Amino acid sequence: MSSPEIASLSWGQMKVKGCSTTYKDCKVWPGGSRTWDWRETGTNHSPGVQPADLEEVVKKGVKTMVIGRGMSEALQVPASTVDYLKKNGIDVLVLQTEKAVEEYNALAAQGVKVGGVFHSTC
């Protein structure tokens, strides 16, 4: 199963190929995607992305995780979150969201088992 292409990104809106939903923030993995609802884990811009935000995607067997920190990179990614991924044998890229989507789509096109979490505003 391949990772779905992110078809479009603009401020506050993301579309994933093959999915009718328009996301504000989203999680993607081989074979699927869904809304990334920060309220589920109590996530906020600081301290930022927590391992709990990534567990669902990690369980899908991804080899690479791409984290989009927002258009202005306001979303923090603590070292403990990066360490969590590395301990699970997962490569991690932490980038501004537009760059993150480009990298994610390039990896997906190469057939890499890539997952991602993307913040589409600040």
Side-chain angles (χ1 to χ4, degrees), residues 9-14 23-26 36 38 45 68-75 95-98 118-122:
L9 167 68
S10 59
W11 184 274
Q13 294 191 327
M14 297 184 73
Y23 300 113
K24 175 178 174 267
D25 299 323
C26 74
W36 178 17
W38 290 15
H45 286 102
R69 293 187 51 210
M71 299 302 212
S72 304
E73 298 185 86
L75 180 60
L95 300 163
Q96 185 266 358
T97 295
E98 289 159 312
F118 302 97
H119 178 45
S120 73
T121 57
C122 44

Side-chain angles (χ1 to χ4, degrees), residues 21-33:
T21 306
T22 299
Y23 300 113
K24 175 178 174 267
D25 299 323
C26 74
K27 296 181 178 189
V28 288
W29 58 83
S33 65

Side-chain angles (χ1 to χ4, degrees), residues 4-5 16 19 27 41 47 49 54-55 57 59 61 63 67 71 76 78 80-81 84 91 94 100-101 104 112 122:
E5 177 188 342
V16 174
C19 179
K27 296 181 178 189
T41 55
V49 183
L54 306 175
E55 280 175 6
V57 179
K59 287 178 182 168
K63 300 295 176 215
I67 300 173
M71 299 302 212
Q76 301 301 303
S80 57
T81 298
Y84 161 76
D91 293 328
V94 178
V101 166
Y104 168 88
V112 174
C122 44

